[in-house]
Amino acid sequence: MRQVLIIGSGFIGQRLGQALREEGFSVALSSRHRPKGRWAGDWLGLDASRPGAIAEAVGTTGAHAVVLVHGPSDITGCENAPETAMATHAGIATRLCQEAPTVRKVLISTDNVFDGQDTCYDESRVPSPANAYGRAKLAAERVLLAADPSALIVRTSLVYGYEPRGPGRGWRNFFMVVADTVSSGQTVQAPVDHWNTPILVDDAAAVLTRLIPGGPSGVLHLAGPDRVSRFEWGRLIAESLGQDPNLVRPVERAAGRYSCRPANACLRSLRLHHLPELSGLSISGLAAGAARLGPLLDVPPR
């Protein structure tokens, strides 16, 4: 199982594709628009909502595995257009099952399938989505597992990492937003009452590269070891780059773009560390992750 088709060519899709290629897989990224960033591998223009498009893409690439990591992933945007979010996430999952029933199916899902009333959630917890994005992802999960019990659902919690700067990049992950803002001497607001278990994208990609070829099925949680508020994490990011942590200003979650997120978007896994496929892999804590990213940013200390 060495041919992989990734539907979605954003931040996670590109890093996962790179990790798979480094391990000798043949990888094609697919999306409606050509990916922005450093992707140098095969790319396939694909509107996965079009009838027959997924079947054509699988035939063209010879894919043995298909990974769904497509958008829309703007949680606030999904809240404003819930029908579109549901039609895209659940609809594309349905088309994958109909048009490529025999391929290995992997869905990258979200911590937003939980309501955030508890401090942390493992795979045994019954989902209760916090928002439209969570409802759409949960519907996609259920479509895949009902049609193919061997499918793998990987729920992640706030994936972060290096993203190139440049015009037209849109909203980037929280680490990069904080790093770029404080390094320019500006303030950035971060909620004191929004908690996550962030995972470095390189670690997430390394784990997924081991799991995609086959083996585990069902639901798996993939998150970092540290539970932290966005405010605390923002200060850690600033300090790791030698910048003034007081540039990270505390706000309430309800005051801005995080208002529709669950208060506790934190995951832990009952399964992850018992999988033989992951022997020898480790997941960085936030301090170690910041140390790994620092040299990529070239930020002069204050």
Side-chain angles (χ1 to χ4, degrees):
M1 189 176 289
R2 307 301 292 182
Q3 283 75 38
V4 180
L5 172 65
I6 299 175
I7 298 180
S9 61
F11 173 52
I12 297 175
Q14 288 192 44
R15 184 63 188 90
L16 174 57
Q18 180 184 342
L20 286 163
R21 291 181 69 202
E22 289 168 356
E23 293 298 320
F25 289 84
S26 174
V27 183
L29 258 61
S30 63
S31 54
R32 292 188 182 190
H33 306 289
R34 186 174 293 277
K36 298 175 181 177
R38 297 183 173 183
W39 177 249
D42 293 335
W43 173 77
L44 184 67
L46 176 68
D47 176 1
S49 65
R50 179 177 64 80
I54 293 177
E56 294 169 9
V58 169
T60 298
T61 61
H64 301 115
V66 176
V67 182
L68 296 180
V69 65
H70 59 285
S73 56
D74 180 343
I75 297 173
T76 304
C78 289
E79 201 69 9
N80 295 328
E83 297 86 0
T84 299
M86 182 64 71
T88 304
H89 288 288
I92 289 176
T94 299
R95 292 204 181 281
L96 173 60
C97 294
Q98 294 171 341
E99 298 181 17
T102 63
V103 301
R104 166 75 161 162
K105 303 173 185 66
V106 179
L107 170 68
I108 309 303
S109 191
T110 177
D111 47 20
N112 283 258
V113 301
F114 297 108
D115 59 18
Q117 297 302 305
D118 289 340
T119 57
C120 208
Y121 296 85
D122 61 43
E123 293 96 342
S124 70
R125 299 297 299 273
V126 177
S128 177
N131 47 43
Y133 179 64
R135 290 190 292 274
K137 281 291 195 179
L138 181 60
E141 291 183 13
R142 289 173 171 169
V143 164
L144 286 177
L145 291 176
D148 185 354
S150 66
L152 176 64
I153 310 299
V154 181
R155 295 175 182 151
T156 59
S157 176
L158 194 56
V159 181
Y160 71 97
Y162 177 75
E163 289 185 85
R165 302 171 177 88
R169 295 292 302 173
W171 181 262
R172 292 184 297 161
N173 71 84
F174 183 77
F175 185 99
M176 291 299 301
V177 171
V178 173
D180 282 351
T181 304
V182 300
S183 64
S184 65
Q186 301 179 58
T187 61
V188 60
Q189 294 183 334
V192 296
D193 55 349
H194 180 40
W195 298 79
N196 296 97
T197 43
I199 182 168
L200 184 64
V201 67
D202 304 270
D203 291 338
V207 170
L208 291 167
T209 297
R210 298 273 189 96
L211 299 179
I212 286 170
S217 61
V219 175
L220 178 71
H221 287 184
L222 178 57
D226 298 328
R227 180 179 182 272
V228 67
S229 73
R230 293 248 187 177
F231 172 67
E232 292 172 333
W233 189 27
R235 288 178 61 90
L236 185 153
I237 294 168
E239 290 172 347
S240 74
L241 298 174
Q243 304 301 307
D244 183 1
N246 292 316
L247 290 172
V248 181
R249 303 290 175 80
V251 294
E252 299 295 319
R253 178 173 55 93
R257 70 188 307 273
Y258 300 103
S259 61
C260 62
R261 272 73 161 176
N264 290 292
C266 302
L267 301 177
R268 68 183 182 94
S269 181
L270 300 175
R271 302 183 61 195
L272 192 70
H273 303 294
H274 301 289
L275 295 173
E277 293 88 350
L278 303 182
S279 176
L281 286 184
S282 62
I283 295 176
S284 303
L286 292 176
R292 290 171 63 180
L293 292 174
L296 301 176
L297 300 177
D298 193 28
V299 175
R302 60 186 171 95

